[in-house]
Amino acid sequence: MASPSSATVEPAGPNPSTKPTQPESAAPRLSGAELKKQKQAEKAARRAQTIQEKQAGVPPAAQKVKSDTTTGAKTQQKRPSSAAAPRDLPVRSQRPAAAATPEAPKKEDKTVELFRHLYKPRVTSIAGAGKDVHPAVLALGLQMSSYTICGSCARLVATLQAFKKVIESYATPPGNTLTRHLTSHVLSPQIEYLAACRPLSISMGNAIRWLKLEISKVDIDVPDAEAKKGLCDAIDVFIRERVTFADQVIASSAVEKIKDGDVILTYAKSSVIQRTLMTAHQEGRKFRVIVVDSRPLHEGKHLAAALVGIGIEVKYCLINGLSHNIQDATKVLLGAHAMMSNGRLFSRIGTALVAMEANEADKPVLVLCETIKFTERVALDSIVHNEIAPADELVIPGGPLEKWGDVKKLQLCNLMYDVTPAEYIQMIVTESGNVPPTSVPVLHRLGNESQG
Amino acid sequence: MSTVGDVVPRDGKSKPFDIVETYQRLLAEDPELTMPVAAIEALIELLVHSRAVTVFETLDLVKTQSEYLKSRVTNSISLSAGTDLFQRYMISSLKPTSTGNFETVRQHLLSNGRLFVSRAKAARERIANYGRHFVRDASVVLTHGGSRVVGALLSKAAEASASGGNVRFRVIYVLNGDRVSESKRAVSDLRARGVPVATIPEGAVGYAMGKVDLVIVGAEGVVENGGIISRLGTYQLALLAKAAGKPFYVAAESHKFVRLYPLGQYDLGIDQEVIEFRTEDEPGSTEPVDFTDITPKSAEAPEYFSSSPTKPNTAVDAVDYTPPALVSALITESGVLTPSAVSEELISMWY
Amino acid sequence: MPSVQAGYAPNLGVFLKALKTQQLEASIEHLISLLKRRQIRNSRPCAIATAHLLLRVVARFKWTDIGKLLQRIQEVGQRLVEAQPKEMVVGNIVRRVLGMIRDEAKEDRSEDMSDTASITQIDSPQRETSDPAPLRTIGVSTATASPLRFGASNAPGSTDTDSDDGSARTPQGGHRPPLMTSHTSYAVLNGLPVQQSMFNLLSATPSPLSTPPQQIDSPQAGSGINAASVAQRVAASSKDLKAEVISGIEEIIDELDQVDDQMAGYAQEHIHSNEVILTHSSSTSVQKFLLKAAEKRKFTVIVAESYPNDHQATHAAVTGSVAPDLGSSEDTSLEMFLKPLTAAGITVVLTTDAAIFAIMSRVNKVILATHAVIANGGLIAAAGARIIAKAAKVHKIPVIVVSGVYKLSPEYPFEFESLIEYGDPGRIVKYHDGNLVDNLEIDNPLYDYVPPDLVDLYITNLGAHAPSYLYRIVADHYKPEDINFHKPELQF
Amino acid sequence: MSHAHKSAKGAAGGEKGRGASKGKRGAGAGAKKPEDDREESLQAVVLADFEGHFSPFSQEKPKCLLPLANTPLLEYTLEFLAMSGVADIYIYCGAHSAEIEKYIQASKWYPPLSPASPFKSLELVKSTARSVGDALRDLDARDLITRDFLLVHGDLVSNLPIDAALAAHRARRIADKNAIMTMILRTAGLGQHRTKSGGVTPVFVCDPTKNRCLHYEEMHALQANKYLNIDPDLLSDHAEMEIRTDLIDCGIDICTPDVLALWAESFDYEVPRRHFLHGVLKDYELNGKTIHTEIVEEHYAARAFNLQSYEAISKDVLGRWTYPLVPDSNLISGQSYKFERGGLCKENGVMLARTCKAGKRTVLGRDTSIGDGSTLTNSIVGRRCIIGKNVTIRDAYIWDDVVIGDGTTVHRAIIAHEAVIGSQCKINPATLISYGVRISDNTEVKEKSRITRAKRIEDDVEEVVPSDPEIVGEGGKGYLFHEDDEDEDESNESFIYSTAHLNISSESISTITSSISIGSPTTSRSRLSSFAGSISDDGEAGSSNENFHHDAVSGLLDTLKENGDFDSAKLEFMGLRLSNDATDHQIRRAIAVAFTKRIAQLVEQEKLEPSKAAASAFGTSGAENFLKTVAVGAGKEEDQIDFIHCLQKDLVHRNQGAMILAAVCQRLYQMDVLEEDAFLRWWEECEMLAEGEAEEMARVRTKTKVFIDWLREAESESGSEEDDESEDESD
């Protein structure tokens, strides 16, 4: 009963029910596309391919989107601000209508020079979505950009699920083969759109590459229905193997590392870690948890809430309390966004600090990471590759920052990830065993082989 | 030796005054006595016996005698602190500019011999009183050797204080295989005061360091750069402590400050037979180094002069040098000093 | 100085205003409760408040002799320190005043002695033994050198020599005293001049028992001696003595005002064009420092916001707006009067504390403000400073600490934890989140201890120093016998 | 400043001169607000001991002096006032005023004696007032308050900087002098929150645009429907409207003198919220006064008005939510707490045995010693306590000078000063052990038992009660505390089940008391709380319990209100009955009250004649059946009589009570819920009482005479055995 009545609007992140009215229209459009020439198709395919390879590249769709975003952003303003009611949602949505978005055309460039190469327009509405984008994907895209689906794995799974829908609703236009047509004409726009909503996670990149491979492997003579079914099954298997099952394995082997009396320190929120800790607790291990967290996402708060929910003793502090609590910890568990081939950990911003402190206080640092997150890329610092989130997410409503846009030469920098040096990491727990950072590339190669 | 000539027989003893003998007697008489103080005492007795009349005679006498004493004692570092201090004191107080004339100074020294000793002990008390505050509730202290200061400090910490109630701490004591009796004494003293003590062999220090909150050791001498010279093994404790990021404190009376600036382990100005290379065919020994024959001796005999003066230090009573970088702070009777502060002290004192 | 804010809640401004009208005891209690209620927080306001209060104490003091005055100050000081031990500046200011009074007393006396020359700068070994000092202390009558007196004299000698260096320390003394003075004897964090003690072994005292001559640490004894020696002259000189003491305190107050600008004076030596400077939280000192540098050079400043305790102040500082929570901290109200860095043409990048490691690889210098500096070269600063310093260390980036000398504390903290204050968890988890409030243990430290080895350089109003040299500055500013004035159990 | 003070005094004088017409005075005060605002110093009124239930502790000591985290509650309140820069303070004492006075005068707060006091003046007002209402009316009479003032309770714990609220209030005042009051409310989220009062949810209907409070009601867990009835024109008048249930009412009100005037005008208001606030908002049309809210999301503010909130706030203090009002800022001079890593907060001179564990969030007072192997967590231990070996203490609050023997376990209990617990004892949750009680070795103290040594007060005579070995073991000292104030029971339960309906129930009681107290001369209830439960009037000691009554009544009332069917209500009702194991009598009483209330409402609001009203009320579907089965169960005559008694008693203080009673009787007879014999005997009994009967009671039944006579005619003769059961019940 009776929360502030103004807050009766449904919470942030449109759920599928709030889908726009495009769904049915999707198919006909596709059929329209059949007139296109093979050549273009292949070109498009190659282009999409390359885009996915260097997943940072700005998808052409984005430009098209860009023009709309300003209007889009405005139309959006209502929704997020209304979503302020469930306070513990990530603050992303509580964007004060006043604040200008970096995308918005301004005289002054508000982007931080160091990271200028990273800035990308972010789609926050379906307004600018390409016409061929499947509704399921549309919804997903928004959920991603509003961080309702945030974790790297969650996004991966969601994406694949969405693509399953895409494939199901796909019908090969006459005179065309699924193998050649699907990827280039159907998948690529979806991918572009997603990338525009929020840069694809590395795991997504891997998965998509795999999916394309699968598609290309489909035998031309196989009837559509069968082929589609095959693909969907393949996707299911993939999800099961590389994520669901992987998580189980990781959790169970990580639990082994938790002994009675341990004090586990972890940073932000990782689904695998949450799972690990919970299983450990269910198995009756006696341990404490220290959750370190940071602005603006406060993901750790959700983890903490979940853990106290099942009766684990949890201490919660922000990154500024890190050096006080690291002493009490006995082990440090970290989640990953990706593992670089040079053994460095690419993860939520702040992770590197935790690892650093742990290393100094010589506490073992364990990284829990599915092999799907491994990449052949390397990184030396957190600047070359990274993701920049909209600066306004740093603005505290009612705080002095609200007008930051008007202050000349003031810039807000809201990085998403940082890179943790390999020497801080004692062990990486993966579904294919516990390995030192040095053997990341090895595992990655194996992983891909098993994939192929 | 001319000095001997200057000395008249006293209280019936026809035997001429021998500074070395006096020095060792003093140490033997009072186990609480530290070497520097003993040295000073010895020099005072020397003054008693000497009938040098002029300032310069006296100074010369003191100088030569101290040199002699040093030469006769292995590991003269600690005692040289005493002799140097004494000389320095004489010189500065006998400066023509100064008002105190020779007689006054001499009288003062002669009359106050015991006072100095008691002061030295008082200093220890004060150190204990400062140092106790380093030992926090529920902390684990790692120490080694038989340093009386450290002993005093820890037992002080074990007492409840008016403010702040009682402190509950535990001690990890690093056993020295060659000084069993001494180690035993130190450990049992603490245990007697209700302090839980764990004893570990020197090999286990690295292993134990993770559980340690702070390290406190004593020192034989504090050198000019703020580093310390202390029982063999201190250096490695310091290194390990540093590696594990644990504070490393040294408890030492300020009269242990030595005018010495070692560049490293092998620059201590004394020769120590710690590293001995041997082969089978060498006569007399089966193992590379064999302490067993020495151990019992060092066991009952007061520690520092167990081996005969001529013989250089063996590993048993050898010392090593711990550079200032590894020392978090020195606890002296005049407060807690950073190494840099110590060096400034010595610098300003000697120049 | 912050103005009296609208509304009733007392703060520094209110206190200073009330100080004029209130009766002394009331204002002492007033300050104590303000400290306890954290309505006066942060170094500068505390320092200002303390200084002004002591000014009153002296002014109102029924003059009998200096000993009594010292006792009075010590007693008041002790109460203030106990009110909020974590504001170390309070103790510092009290010590400064104590020392200053001792000096005045000394000079006062030495005038009669008419050998002022020998007081000021004599090089140590000589001074240890050549005995103008003891003689002065004991008074001329006992000048003949008998062995006992020789020793005896050495003891007060210590207090004596102590006092000398004081005169070398002028509140705004832009230069630091030459090394080769008696100051070395205060190169201690605690207790007494070492050199003294080294010789004390051989000197004599009337009381040959366990306690060395430095008994005069303890306030009573210390003042006792002064009392004895001053007594006869006080009658005559007390008036102007009082005046001098007061003006002395006023000097300290001025110092507090000027400190920032003095430090800013060194800015241009340390910041160069196109550098990227990382700083943390918001501090008037640092801001002035950077602004000064900005007069000549263009560079980029990255500001870590130090959420959750100071972020509002930080945000206000970067945007140049008024921090919303005036009540909570006077510093913010100071901030208002400063123009933001951006106005000086500096590019300012605000980021979260979490991003430090990511950004550090592109930073040229880290500049930190402090809450208090400890004589071992470590410092207490806003929580989060430690990881910044550490990250800088890892990236081999120099860390510069900007701090007024008044923040320099001679106390040796035996346990650094004891200096850390833990704040309101409500800043981390909103109180209305019932479930979390009930089950979660929330930890909100306000300060960090940054060990000396993470700091490369200190910039004080006296210049730039290596951390290892700080003990020296401490020695120049505080009298050994005052260091533990508030902790009887530490005085011997 | 001083001059400002004078001016204020002068003003006060002026008021006296003008005296009388309160409206004008308020206006006057309002008018002269704007100018000398800044110069004026702030006034505050502290209501020391009017609400709340801390028995058995509050038997012997004033509640506001009970230690919370080793610091008396009142200290927190005064710190808050000092923090807000209040200059003049009036402390209203209810019970134990002497002790409070003693304490205050010894404390640093008392200006005449302590120069340290931040206040310019501090006055203790001792009054016979039993309720906030009385106190404020008295205050108004005294003409002490001349300008805006803070109204707080003596159990307030808050670190809230109030300036913003004051400024807002003043701004409103200047704009409109009818903005007479600003309430400060703390958001506490919609979910469970330990510091939100468990059972009763205050519902504030506000206009967020003007921060104005439009309507106030209280909802309680067992209420059948969750509806509020909001005046429709509110909806039309206000574009935006928020209905907030997520607020902690910390009882900080910024008031203008007009508020006092209003209190004075409406003499029947007893409590600030349910009466005053509700009332004033209701007849906004009449008085045109507006009341505003200041809803704060930062900082801490709450009241320790019962044991449940005492526990909650203790936890908050341990968790530092009240920072800087935490032990280690040593608010009281002489304290020397230090906060250690891991949340242990101990004073100097605490002796911890080597192997004992003083866990996180624990406070230890000076010279307390803890034996080997003992463990403490989330607990507060006072000074000079001696805790033996292998003792386990969890979530317990132990005051000064307590001795606890070896091997004892204490869980979630409060142990007051100088109590002695033997060794190998087991103190079970929610136990309250009062001053100086001695539990001998190997005793297990049952859950929720409250043990005291205080003299029991029976009808103003103090009798010493012998110790009860059953409870405290052989050689122990103390007896099981149960008193006639039922609300204690529930405060106790509240301590464990955290369902405190106290806030409201207490209020509801107080109203009834006040009205009853006119009627029944026998209410010689405790001087210590103004809320001698109304049940007291029917001397049901012990088991019966007030919040049952309250919930039951309100529950039924709701069913009646929207003519909901009784079958569901019945289920709930029975459930309620079981959960509080209420006696038949209570049930009857509850039902009686519910119906009469309803009828009275109908009569007043809908302007029905009593008979119609009764008809509609009893006409509610299932009501008849309900009455038959539940109210007068087996149709035993006594029960029926009792029921009538209840009706009668309740109607005493309702307008047209007499008429209604008549109507009701008729009705009930027609529905033959009650048989004529019952009526007759009831009548006779009343007659028997003759002058012994209170004239109200007599008056009420006058109108019924007709009905009775009619019955008499129908009946030939009537039985006439006596039994004083009902008699007993009536006192």
Side-chain angles (χ1 to χ4, degrees), chain C residues 150-223:
Chain C
F150 175 96
S153 55
N154 213 333
S158 67
T159 36
D160 235 351
T161 47
D162 306 346
S163 344
D164 293 350
D165 69 314
S167 54
R169 177 208 36 89
T170 59
Q172 307 91 319
H175 66 88
R176 51 183 192 278
L179 177 67
M180 280 307 124
T181 66
S182 61
H183 303 130
T184 51
S185 38
Y186 312 106
V188 295
L189 304 175
N190 216 339
L192 320 152
V194 167
Q195 195 166 33
Q196 286 298 322
S197 59
M198 287 179 72
F199 276 118
N200 283 333
L201 183 70
L202 293 178
S203 67
T205 60
S207 63
L209 44 110
S210 71
T211 50
Q214 278 60 35
Q215 282 324 320
I216 14 89
D217 284 357
S218 69
Q220 297 71 10
S223 49

Side-chain angles (χ1 to χ4, degrees), chain A residues 4-17:
Chain A
S5 58
S6 60
T8 49
V9 192
E10 93 229 330
N15 41 22
S17 70

Side-chain angles (χ1 to χ4, degrees), chain D residues 528-559:
Chain D
L528 48 89
S529 91
S530 66
F531 321 118
S534 65
I535 309 187
S536 53
D537 316 31
D538 29 59
E540 280 267 353
S543 69
S544 77
N545 107 23
E546 189 44 41
N547 64 340
F548 159 77
H549 174 69
H550 183 81
D551 302 334
V553 170
S554 48
L556 290 173
L557 211 47
D558 304 322
T559 349

Side-chain angles (χ1 to χ4, degrees), chain C residues 27-64:
Chain C
S27 15
I28 295 174
E29 278 300 328
H30 191 182
L31 179 54
I32 288 176
S33 48
L34 284 176
L35 287 171
K36 281 184 174 178
R37 281 189 243 120
R38 314 294 192 263
Q39 285 183 309
I40 292 184
R41 313 175 24 248
N42 298 336
S43 301
R44 186 189 319 272
C46 289
I48 294 174
T50 316
H52 280 92
L53 179 65
L54 292 182
L55 194 60
R56 292 282 294 170
V57 175
V58 176
R60 283 297 184 81
F61 183 67
K62 298 275 169 299
W63 198 276
T64 55

